[in-house]
Amino acid sequence: MASTKPVNVLEICHVSPSSTSPESSTELYLPLIFSDIFNLKFPPVQGIFFYKLTELTPTFFNSVILPRVKHSLSLTLSHFRPLAGNLTWPANSIKPVIAYNTPDDGIKLTVAESSADFDHLCSEVHDAIESHHYVPNVSISDTIASILAIQITLFPNKGFCIGHTTNHAVLDGLSASFFMNAWARICRQLVDEKMEIPSLLPEELTPFFNRTVVQDPEGLDMWYLNFWLGVKIPGSDDNTRSLKPFPFPETPPNLVRTTFELSREDIQQLRETVKSQLDNFGSKEETNQTKPIYLSTYVLVYAYTLVCMLEAKGLNSNDKIKILITVDCRPRLNPPLPKNYIGNCVSSFDVVVEGEDLMKENGVAYVAKRLTEMIKGLENRSVFEGAKERLPYNDWEPDIRQVRAAGTNRFGMYGADFGWGKPSNVEVTTIDRLDAFSIMESKDESGGVEVGLVLKEHEMKLFGSLFASGLRM
């Protein structure tokens, strides 16, 4: 059993952007676009990067690692200054805005030490609630909300971890990964090159914050904002202009967390199996008239994990499952936004399937086909088509089970090397509050994928058996 209090908080400090005085004394405002407001009331997203250093002493941590992490964070925030501000809702603004460029800019950094077993948390099945000790809280009230908070925790003679909590209305997963990789690069420069002032970030890591290029011909920003104003947020005193998100559901104490891996060979074998099963869908005539569909690694992993997870949790033939996919809207806007656009630029699309179709021998192929068709259908479709029907929050479908994947194998999470090696594990902590699993690239192999999962203990054992046996077919 985990210790009731394995973490001792050593320090809580405020880290400001390295340029102590803003470029001007005028407070600046960054507007929210429609996709930011779509996610306005969703709870913050939390994740943890684990770094293994078996000879890490408290002295080295406090004299070398911590100062460099703090200094590089300050330098990074000078490039990402809006993230050092706050989400606010000024009286003269019809929409919330990000306010920044003030002497108060900065983020909360928590420094802690843990007596817990690092290897147990990093690579073994463990109680999901144990991870909550290593992610910080963000300050959110009706009128002002923090954008980002960081916690760094020392595990003496084992390593350290960096936990982050991000405001979902301001950052999507790609933006959060982008920030972590930029921060890691600047810190790595301090460590490897002994640089007092690191060079400018390379073009691929230089953030783009310009909102003026985003077109919203349908007025989705106000459409989604008016929707949220009609939804009562528990605990909010002033729902009409409140920035408070829906509260996190409590994580049940009987859930466990672990990571499963699919090698490049596993994925290729899965691709061949699914392709052979897809040949049996429809008649020969229909098959001959249809071009072979491209099965992406993401779709294959999503479909395989989904079917194994639902079977482990007890799938019934009459169940209805809504499978949600988060789609990056950056390349789908006109004009398209660059990959280094920092904000929340995603939209959610879904497909509803029947439990009986997933329980068949070709259930994985069926899901992969449905997901591929949905994604293919988005290629020539405007982001705004049907956007008003894709409501941010829907609690009136009690008979439909919603399942989603967090992340993708293209975020590059394991590139966040702060100078002491790449992460030994990265987790998306908040999947324990949703019917969800995480997908990211493998830390060990190009082309491999890791799946993070949170289930009841007996479900996890069954999932592991199904996951392994399906790859031996």
Side-chain angles (χ1 to χ4, degrees):
M1 294 294 291
S3 169
T4 56
K5 191 179 179 182
V7 175
N8 179 33
V9 174
L10 305 176
E11 177 189 5
I12 297 178
C13 60
H14 181 85
V15 178
S16 303
S18 59
S19 51
T20 54
S21 59
E23 295 178 3
S24 72
S25 59
T26 304
E27 184 174 18
L28 301 178
Y29 298 96
L30 197 65
L32 301 186
I33 66 170
F34 66 93
S35 48
D36 296 321
I37 296 177
F38 184 94
N39 292 278
L40 181 65
K41 299 291 188 176
F42 287 112
V45 178
Q46 299 176 311
I48 308 173
F49 292 70
F50 292 90
Y51 296 89
K52 189 166 187 174
L53 291 171
T54 55
E55 298 181 357
L56 178 57
T57 64
T59 299
F60 186 80
F61 176 80
N62 289 307
S63 63
V64 178
I65 290 182
L66 187 57
R68 287 177 178 169
V69 166
K70 283 183 178 180
H71 183 40
S72 60
L73 178 57
S74 176
L75 292 167
T76 306
L77 289 174
S78 68
H79 294 281
F80 291 78
R81 188 173 277 277
L83 304 190
N86 290 286
L87 184 63
T88 65
W89 201 336
N92 62 349
S93 175
I94 61 172
K95 299 187 300 182
V97 297
I98 299 169
Y100 68 104
N101 204 56
T102 75
D104 295 327
D105 281 0
I107 67 168
K108 182 181 77 171
L109 173 66
T110 301
V111 182
E113 183 175 333
S114 177
S115 59
D117 187 331
F118 179 90
D119 294 324
H120 172 70
L121 288 170
C122 189
S123 57
E124 299 174 3
V125 178
H126 61 276
D127 291 341
I129 202 168
E130 293 180 57
S131 295
H132 294 190
H133 297 293
Y134 307 99
V135 288
N137 294 320
V138 288
S139 174
I140 302 177
S141 70
D142 283 324
T143 58
I144 189 168
S146 299
I147 294 171
L148 173 67
I150 300 290
Q151 177 174 324
I152 179 168
T153 305
L154 165 68
F155 295 79
N157 302 312
K158 289 291 186 178
F160 66 95
C161 70
I162 296 177
H164 65 82
T165 301
T166 59
N167 191 309
H168 209 336
V170 180
L171 293 170
D172 58 19
L174 180 58
S175 293
S177 174
F178 191 92
F179 174 81
M180 291 296 294
N181 277 280
W183 177 21
R185 185 185 191 280
I186 289 177
C187 188
R188 191 165 65 248
Q189 287 179 315
L190 294 174
V191 174
D192 295 344
E193 301 174 25
K194 307 295 189 297
M195 298 175 66
E196 291 298 325
I197 301 177
S199 61
L200 293 176
L201 287 170
E203 182 178 353
E204 66 271 16
L205 287 177
T206 300
F208 180 85
F209 285 99
N210 188 356
R211 286 346 191 225
T212 63
V213 297
V214 180
Q215 304 297 314
D216 184 6
E218 301 291 327
L220 288 179
D221 55 352
M222 293 308 300
W223 177 269
Y224 292 141
L225 185 62
N226 288 328
F227 170 83
W228 283 125
L229 293 178
V231 179
K232 176 63 179 175
I233 306 299
S236 173
D237 298 326
D238 179 15
N239 191 55
T240 57
R241 295 176 70 87
S242 175
L243 296 174
K244 284 185 178 178
F246 280 95
F248 266 135
E250 293 294 326
T251 301
N254 59 343
L255 296 184
V256 296
R257 173 190 299 274
T258 196
T259 300
F260 292 86
E261 295 191 33
L262 288 162
S263 68
R264 182 167 47 188
E265 289 73 22
D266 291 334
I267 295 168
Q268 184 55 35
Q269 178 183 336
L270 187 59
R271 180 174 284 110
E272 292 170 0
T273 300
V274 168
K275 281 184 175 180
S276 66
Q277 291 178 342
L278 286 177
D279 289 340
N280 298 322
F281 284 132
S283 65
K284 276 190 176 182
E285 182 179 355
E286 291 172 332
T287 302
N288 292 336
Q289 290 177 353
T290 305
K291 294 180 181 180
I293 66 173
Y294 169 71
L295 295 167
S296 71
T297 295
Y298 175 81
V299 162
L300 287 167
V301 174
Y302 195 132
Y304 187 61
T305 304
L306 174 83
V307 171
C308 291
M309 184 182 80
L310 290 177
E311 287 189 14
K313 297 180 79 166
L315 182 63
N316 297 313
S317 60
N318 60 348
D319 285 345
K320 291 184 182 297
I321 300 98
K322 178 181 284 188
I323 307 173
L324 296 111
I325 282 190
T326 301
V327 176
D328 183 11
C329 294
R330 290 168 177 80
R332 302 173 187 275
L333 293 175
N334 185 20
L337 291 174
K339 290 183 179 179
N340 57 342
Y341 171 83
I342 303 300
N344 200 315
C345 197
V346 294
S347 189
S348 182
F349 294 85
D350 62 75
V351 59
V352 178
V353 298
E354 304 286 339
E356 62 178 341
D357 291 319
L358 273 60
M359 298 173 72
K360 296 175 182 177
E361 183 180 356
N362 60 3
V364 174
Y366 174 77
V367 174
K369 179 175 182 288
R370 295 294 305 275
L371 290 177
T372 299
E373 289 172 345
M374 181 179 68
I375 294 171
K376 184 72 174 176
L378 298 175
E379 288 184 359
N380 299 314
R381 178 178 172 185
S382 167
V383 168
F384 304 105
E385 184 180 337
K388 291 182 178 179
E389 285 70 49
R390 294 193 298 274
L391 297 176
Y393 170 73
N394 191 344
D395 64 349
W396 52 82
E397 295 180 318
D399 297 329
I400 297 183
R401 189 174 185 173
Q402 296 190 8
V403 183
R404 71 193 72 212
T408 170
N409 51 305
R410 296 184 177 182
F411 277 176
M413 291 291 196
Y414 281 100
D417 178 356
F418 283 78
W420 299 280
K422 65 182 181 181
S424 52
N425 189 48
V426 179
E427 75 168 43
V428 181
T429 310
T430 38
I431 62 170
D432 62 9
R433 276 90 174 238
L434 301 167
D435 209 353
F437 52 91
S438 66
I439 297 176
M440 67 182 65
E441 80 281 4
S442 171
K443 61 179 172 290
D444 296 323
E445 177 192 19
S446 175
V449 175
E450 294 182 1
V451 174
L453 208 66
V454 176
L455 295 169
K456 295 177 181 178
E457 188 171 3
H458 71 277
E459 294 171 345
M460 190 69 81
K461 291 179 179 177
L462 180 54
F463 176 90
S465 175
L466 293 168
F467 198 77
S469 61
L471 296 173
R472 294 195 293 265
M473 294 177 59

